[in-house]
Amino acid sequence: MQQANGTQQRNGRSKYNPTPYEAAVLGFRNYWYPVFTSGEVNEKARAMTLLGDDLFFVRRQGKVYALINECAHRGTRFTHPLGIYYFKGTPTITCGYHGWTYDVTNGMCVAVPTEGPTSQVPGKVRLRTYPVEERAGIIWVWIGEQTPVPVEEDIPKALLLDNAVVKVRNVIFNGNWRWHAENVNGGHDFIVHNLAGRNWFKTLRAYQDPEINTPEELEDWDGKGVASRTRDAGKSYSLWDIPGLGRWPQRPLWHRLLVNWWIRTTRRYGGAGISRGMLSLPGYFRVPGHPNNGNLYYEWYVPVDEEHYIYFQVTSWFPTNIFGRVGHWLKYYLHGKPLGVVRFNNQDAAMVAETTAYVKRHGPGAEHYFSKLTQNDRFHELWREYCNEHARGVGYAHARTKDAEARPAAVGAADS
Amino acid sequence: MQQANGTQQRNGRSKYNPTPYEAAVLGFRNYWYPVFTSGEVNEKARAMTLLGDDLFFVRRQGKVYALINECAHRGTRFTHPLGIYYFKGTPTITCGYHGWTYDVTNGMCVAVPTEGPTSQVPGKVRLRTYPVEERAGIIWVWIGEQTPVPVEEDIPKALLLDNAVVKVRNVIFNGNWRWHAENVNGGHDFIVHNLAGRNWFKTLRAYQDPEINTPEELEDWDGKGVASRTRDAGKSYSLWDIPGLGRWPQRPLWHRLLVNWWIRTTRRYGGAGISRGMLSLPGYFRVPGHPNNGNLYYEWYVPVDEEHYIYFQVTSWFPTNIFGRVGHWLKYYLHGKPLGVVRFNNQDAAMVAETTAYVKRHGPGAEHYFSKLTQNDRFHELWREYCNEHARGVGYAHARTKDAEARPAAVGAADS
Amino acid sequence: MQQANGTQQRNGRSKYNPTPYEAAVLGFRNYWYPVFTSGEVNEKARAMTLLGDDLFFVRRQGKVYALINECAHRGTRFTHPLGIYYFKGTPTITCGYHGWTYDVTNGMCVAVPTEGPTSQVPGKVRLRTYPVEERAGIIWVWIGEQTPVPVEEDIPKALLLDNAVVKVRNVIFNGNWRWHAENVNGGHDFIVHNLAGRNWFKTLRAYQDPEINTPEELEDWDGKGVASRTRDAGKSYSLWDIPGLGRWPQRPLWHRLLVNWWIRTTRRYGGAGISRGMLSLPGYFRVPGHPNNGNLYYEWYVPVDEEHYIYFQVTSWFPTNIFGRVGHWLKYYLHGKPLGVVRFNNQDAAMVAETTAYVKRHGPGAEHYFSKLTQNDRFHELWREYCNEHARGVGYAHARTKDAEARPAAVGAADS
């Protein structure tokens, strides 16, 4: 239905009849999203808003559960400092206000201690629950109304390999998730990331040749998505003398010499990695191709609300022996994380905040103007079409109100 | 009229046709509200927003007056740092901008010094005034459009006794006044106040027995209200083994032994005090019954705006000799105030903020879901019905705009 | 057209059919406004919102340019920390995101380095530019859609004299520009500025005699405006015993003696300066009359947004020899600036914030009530009528949205 709706709307661009992508301010529902690492959730309830829904996550008897973060009685958050795990040893959580106690496995209220055995609430009031799975040391939650697909469908297969080592950095950034998804489109390296440590040894292109760089829908063993294909990226590092302006890029001599030497000696075309970026639903970036001994990088843009998202970064490697294990560990903590995952990617996030502020100033529909502008944007133009055709569901701005209607109505009915 | 309106609407629960209680986001008008202690208002004008109206309070020749806190000329607040008591010895206040001077006893502008004797303003421009009375060391203001009732009608008689000693704590809390009024309903003690110092010697019930605890409309010598009646509270402290969960409440052994010993030796059923709570209009909590040598506790929830209220707490005792006077004084400052009035009651306020945040997230009507849920809520269910039938008036969200229309219109008329 | 509109509406006071002045919440467009001093703008782009438009100012090859502060590609601000002057020596600015490079002299995009020579953007995408002129060490920008008038038309001629020394203080204050313009109307000195150092030697009137103080439209060699005329201001310092209240003003004995002595000995009627205030479009205050050896004072109220304005203060003197030059320099930095320009005028700004808060509380139309109230207000009453008749244009609240429509549409058109 959402599908049909999407297809039908994909050409209508008015803000009164938005495409699924334009409507997905709060993201696409009916997907598995990574939220926390396994170590970040324990017996104390932890709050997180996802796609506009206010949830809490809690661990009971080793398993993680996610429920709506509002007691059905007075709306108290279970993550309030006064909230407690009262009946230790049971899969329950107790509201810090009147003690309403719920079974976290199905959301059912199992006791209202302050009303005693005659209370009519237990067995009748149920909190909304959200399916949760733990894979690769990451906690995945299903946000949506449809029946969940197997979680493996929404996880890159590489992360599920037996020898996969998975490192996570998850931060909440200010910005709408879509503008970070569209940021991965190449072309900003020499400015946003100019001379960022991570670029020192990369053979960046002065510009992308439209004849060579062609975005396309791609499917490999790891899943489907939209990729920007590049042939012979290694040769593509060049300088361009722009008439009337000057040389582009203006990198210092020492750096050009360093890079040229690096290319000749190592024959490693670092630039290739970036240029083969691939976007997949519900909004994550990855590098296609079967994992080799090298490491892989993934990043999810998990919508929190209209103006915030979890920037969920995953770096993974696949050691076959102890040396590979240690070598990658050193490479990650000495170079990859500080220079790349943190500094380099925070530069992108700064730009995402700019675009978000622009759309906020100009109101809904402003993002239309980003479309079809330039050849470099063909990448996320195709990405938008891809979402309009294949997205399972669309986020909605009234998630909370809908919850309010859904939840206590049942109770009222039972009473009248 | 408001009466009829209330009766007629009391069963209509849609947010488009709210009951008086649901509409009273800014409180019930046409009541006397406590605002300051006598010592808190002097010659320097002091600002306070009440039920959405912006007032200032000022003392002239020993008497306190309250007026709208906006000069009719340019809207300057009289409480602005530049505002002054210019003509000392007269019952006036002078705006800090152009010197418009008003008689605080009737709000009439008596001089515009900067325009001289020919000014047409004096005698024509009048500020809205609010009736003020001082009783029991408390400043009471009448917020409403109807003729004020005698202030004694809205003050618990006990506070007016000759030997009454009155102690006040008034703080502005974040929250809507109604959710604190409904908080007084029993049942949250073992959680919100679990092991709060004030509960150490109280025989709290494990749960309230619906056969015994029956809310009812009550009228005693002190006035009318809604009370929760309790028979034999002393016996009601119990433990309950909840099937599949465990014992409730889970209080440590040392504490159970302490309480049991206390009950046997003193035969004082402290729990009774709490269980006989009573709510009266326009929104205050008290303990019914003729004052004995013990102390009485009252608390008002005075609406400031939609999301703030003055938590006006009054502790009172009635000494018949110097020993009673000193004894209660020590008990109040060493135990009652620090452990009860401040720490204990701030725990309630924290829950009120939670409920307010919930209603704000879900919009008007969300509070419907609090109704008729459980047997413990029969208390504030009855309280809501009581308000719908007996409330004198309802607050309105446009108090400020109405003022604007009311005030300078007179002037414009006079000119044209 | 705006003219006609103004005339036709000048008596209609409903907020649904506002007069041009009432509609000019964001100021009057199609005027030259002072923004920065020459020293405040250099090679690094500097942001400023004016009349609701988001601009940046930048200096290239010695000349200052102003453009809309949003890249046409993704809305990134050129003033973002990552924004750069990439192609040094050329009159361009480069966006910090994808390197779109614009010619600041005409706003045209001249290169998208990251797309190479085949990019279709250069020569097709143009940023909105704003005419800029530098005069008297001040940077003036034309905000409007009509063809700019010669900048000299909107600058007081005195500031353009060869021997003019110009000192500027420009601060952004909280408040709507109109309430500061109307503040210059006399009558608040004895209160807002009571005993301000600047008033010590001034023969202020106890009140303004309506027979003497008559506002009028005035035109002198320096330009047109609305002035309050005063005959014989020197005699007008008086005391007034207000029946039933007391003496006005209540200045201490030492001060009355000081002032009387000062008048007798110096025969300088300092009060005259204040009373001959004059308001000109688009909203600045000045002192009429050909400059003598004394100094002149001007202040502009440059709208930033609905609730902020640049308080642009200019003090100027016209030395004919080195002694005059140094003497005025000392007088300004020892007395004029600290006591007057800063302390004295900040007192006015505090009142402007009060009026702005009042209008915000009561919503559009509240300012109507300021009209026709009193004889002193005839001054800004005439000022309002003057604006309704002579203003070149009116600000509009949707400046930003209009930009959004105007800008990228051209591009979309070119593509389809």
Side-chain angles (χ1 to χ4, degrees), chain B residues 41-277:
Chain B
V41 175
N42 50 42
E43 278 194 347
K44 176 73 181 163
R46 181 163 186 169
M48 182 57 68
T49 300
L50 294 169
L51 283 70
D53 291 12
D54 297 315
L55 314 188
F56 74 89
F57 291 75
V58 76
R59 191 180 291 275
R60 292 288 181 258
Q61 288 79 49
K63 197 166 176 340
V64 175
Y65 302 92
L67 294 87
I68 196 79
N69 194 14
E70 289 172 344
C71 179
H73 182 210
R74 303 286 289 183
T76 312
R77 288 170 299 156
F78 297 94
T79 51
H80 186 282
L82 289 175
I84 37 180
Y85 180 21
Y86 200 95
F87 297 103
K88 294 283 171 72
T90 67
T92 63
I93 191 162
T94 299
C95 175
Y97 199 172
H98 297 90
W100 288 35
T101 300
Y102 300 88
D103 182 336
V104 294
T105 66
N106 56 19
M108 182 61 75
C109 179
V110 291
V112 179
T114 52
E115 291 198 329
T118 61
S119 173
Q120 303 167 31
V121 176
K124 265 166 57 185
V125 176
R126 185 195 292 274
L127 293 184
R128 175 171 185 176
T129 59
Y130 293 77
V132 174
E133 295 286 354
E134 250 176 302
R135 293 284 192 286
I138 295 171
I139 292 166
W140 308 79
V141 62
W142 173 267
I143 306 289
E145 289 60 45
Q146 304 171 13
T147 317
V149 302
V151 67
E152 289 75 9
E153 266 188 41
D154 291 350
I155 305 181
K157 292 188 180 45
L159 294 183
L160 301 172
L161 295 175
D162 295 340
N163 65 333
V165 174
V166 176
K167 296 293 180 188
V168 170
R169 179 207 183 208
N170 50 351
V171 226
I172 293 183
F173 275 132
N174 169 261
N176 186 269
W177 72 276
R178 294 172 300 176
W179 314 141
H180 203 146
E182 296 186 357
N183 168 79
V184 302
N185 180 21
H188 62 263
D189 298 287
F190 276 134
I191 310 167
V192 177
H193 307 305
N194 197 28
L195 291 190
R198 204 187 203 181
N199 273 351
W200 283 4
F201 298 95
K202 284 186 175 165
T203 60
L204 301 175
R205 282 162 257 70
Y207 53 84
Q208 300 184 2
D209 179 346
E211 298 310 312
I212 295 178
N213 297 80
T214 316
E216 62 187 347
E217 288 192 23
L218 193 71
E219 173 155 23
D220 67 358
W221 74 286
D222 211 359
K224 291 201 303 184
V226 177
S228 66
R229 182 186 46 188
T230 302
R231 298 198 203 86
D232 202 16
K235 289 215 196 90
S236 66
Y237 184 13
S238 57
L239 296 178
W240 175 31
D241 269 305
I242 308 179
L245 291 178
R247 191 177 56 206
W248 169 270
Q250 293 173 14
R251 291 185 131 182
L253 179 60
W254 69 263
H255 183 258
R256 294 208 307 282
L257 296 175
L258 173 68
V259 174
N260 291 331
W261 164 80
W262 181 258
I263 298 172
R264 276 198 312 280
T265 49
T266 66
R267 299 216 151 283
R268 288 186 58 181
Y269 305 129
I274 285 189
S275 67
R276 282 196 267 98

Side-chain angles (χ1 to χ4, degrees), chain B residues 54 70 72-75 77 80 82 86-87 96-100 111 113-116 118 121 400 404 408 411 415, chain C residues 182-183 187-188 191-192 206-208 210 240 245 248-250 351 354 358 361-362 370 372-377:
Chain B
D54 297 315
E70 289 172 344
H73 182 210
R74 303 286 289 183
R77 288 170 299 156
H80 186 282
L82 289 175
Y86 200 95
F87 297 103
Y97 199 172
H98 297 90
W100 288 35
T114 52
E115 291 198 329
T118 61
V121 176
R400 289 162 173 158
V411 188
D415 286 357
Chain C
E182 297 186 357
N183 167 80
H188 63 262
I191 310 168
V192 176
Y207 53 84
Q208 300 185 4
W240 174 32
L245 291 178
W248 170 271
Q250 292 173 16
M351 291 294 111
E354 283 289 294
Y358 169 85
R361 283 198 302 275
H362 294 284
F370 301 160
K372 295 194 186 153
L373 276 182
T374 80
Q375 58 204 34
N376 276 4
D377 291 340

Side-chain angles (χ1 to χ4, degrees), chain A residues 178-180 182-192 194 206-210 240 242 244-251 347-348 350-352 354-355 358 361-362 366 369-377 380 384, chain C residues 54 69-78 80 82 84 86-88 90 92 94-101 110-121 125 400-405 407-409 411-412 415:
Chain A
R178 294 172 298 177
W179 314 140
H180 204 144
E182 296 186 356
N183 167 80
V184 302
N185 179 21
H188 62 262
D189 298 288
F190 275 132
I191 311 167
V192 176
N194 196 29
Y207 53 83
Q208 300 185 1
D209 179 345
W240 174 32
I242 308 179
L245 291 179
R247 190 176 58 205
W248 169 271
Q250 292 173 15
R251 292 187 130 178
Q347 295 170 331
D348 293 317
M351 292 292 109
V352 175
E354 283 289 294
T355 307
Y358 169 85
R361 283 200 303 276
H362 293 283
Y369 304 131
F370 300 159
S371 311
K372 296 192 184 154
L373 275 182
T374 79
Q375 60 203 35
N376 278 2
D377 291 340
H380 58 66
R384 293 177 177 199
Chain C
D54 298 316
N69 194 15
E70 289 172 343
C71 179
H73 181 210
R74 303 285 289 183
T76 312
R77 289 169 299 156
F78 296 95
H80 186 280
L82 288 176
I84 38 180
Y86 200 95
F87 298 102
K88 295 286 172 72
T90 67
T92 63
T94 300
C95 175
Y97 200 170
H98 297 90
W100 288 34
T101 299
V110 290
V112 178
T114 52
E115 291 197 327
T118 61
S119 174
Q120 302 166 31
V121 176
V125 176
R400 289 162 174 157
T401 314
K402 285 171 69 78
D403 292 342
E405 287 158 4
R407 196 153 65 272
V411 187
D415 286 357

Side-chain angles (χ1 to χ4, degrees), chain C residues 111-270:
Chain C
V112 178
T114 52
E115 291 197 327
T118 61
S119 174
Q120 302 166 31
V121 176
K124 263 165 62 183
V125 176
R126 186 195 293 272
L127 293 184
R128 174 169 185 177
T129 59
Y130 293 77
V132 174
E133 296 284 356
E134 249 177 304
R135 294 285 191 287
I138 296 172
I139 293 168
W140 307 80
V141 63
W142 174 267
I143 307 290
E145 290 59 43
Q146 303 171 11
T147 316
V149 303
V151 67
E152 289 76 8
E153 266 188 40
D154 291 349
I155 304 180
K157 294 188 178 41
L159 294 183
L160 301 173
L161 295 174
D162 295 340
N163 65 332
V165 175
V166 176
K167 297 293 180 188
V168 170
R169 179 207 183 209
N170 51 350
V171 226
I172 293 184
F173 275 131
N174 168 263
N176 185 269
W177 72 277
R178 294 171 300 175
W179 315 139
H180 204 146
E182 297 186 357
N183 167 80
V184 303
N185 179 22
H188 63 262
D189 299 289
F190 275 132
I191 310 168
V192 176
H193 308 304
N194 195 28
L195 292 188
R198 204 188 203 180
N199 272 350
W200 283 6
F201 299 96
K202 282 184 176 167
T203 60
L204 301 175
R205 282 160 258 69
Y207 53 84
Q208 300 185 4
D209 179 344
E211 298 310 310
I212 294 178
N213 297 79
T214 316
E216 61 186 348
E217 288 192 22
L218 193 71
E219 172 155 23
D220 67 359
W221 74 286
D222 211 359
K224 290 200 306 184
V226 176
S228 66
R229 180 186 47 188
T230 303
R231 300 197 201 86
D232 202 18
K235 288 214 196 88
S236 67
Y237 184 13
S238 58
L239 296 177
W240 174 32
D241 268 308
I242 307 178
L245 291 178
R247 191 176 57 205
W248 170 271
Q250 292 173 16
R251 291 186 131 180
L253 179 60
W254 68 263
H255 183 259
R256 295 210 305 283
L257 296 175
L258 173 68
V259 175
N260 292 333
W261 163 80
W262 180 259
I263 299 171
R264 276 199 311 282
T265 47
T266 66
R267 299 216 150 284
R268 289 187 56 181
Y269 306 129

Side-chain angles (χ1 to χ4, degrees), chain A residues 31 47 140 225 232 235 254 286 294-295 357 388 410:
Chain A
Y31 281 93
W140 308 79
D232 203 16
K235 288 217 196 89
W254 68 263
R286 65 186 183 90
N295 67 323
N388 290 337

Side-chain angles (χ1 to χ4, degrees), chain C residues 300-351:
Chain C
W300 276 259
Y301 321 108
V302 185
V304 172
D305 57 27
E306 292 81 351
E307 292 175 11
H308 297 84
Y309 62 100
I310 305 176
Y311 188 35
F312 199 97
Q313 301 172 271
V314 175
T315 308
S316 181
W317 57 84
F318 312 88
T320 50
N321 53 45
I322 183 63
F323 303 106
R325 183 169 295 275
V326 174
H328 277 292
W329 190 93
L330 289 169
K331 184 182 170 195
Y332 178 72
Y333 283 106
L334 296 181
H335 173 274
K337 184 169 186 183
L339 292 183
V341 172
V342 175
R343 182 166 175 284
F344 183 95
N345 291 118
N346 283 2
Q347 294 170 332
D348 294 317
M351 291 294 111

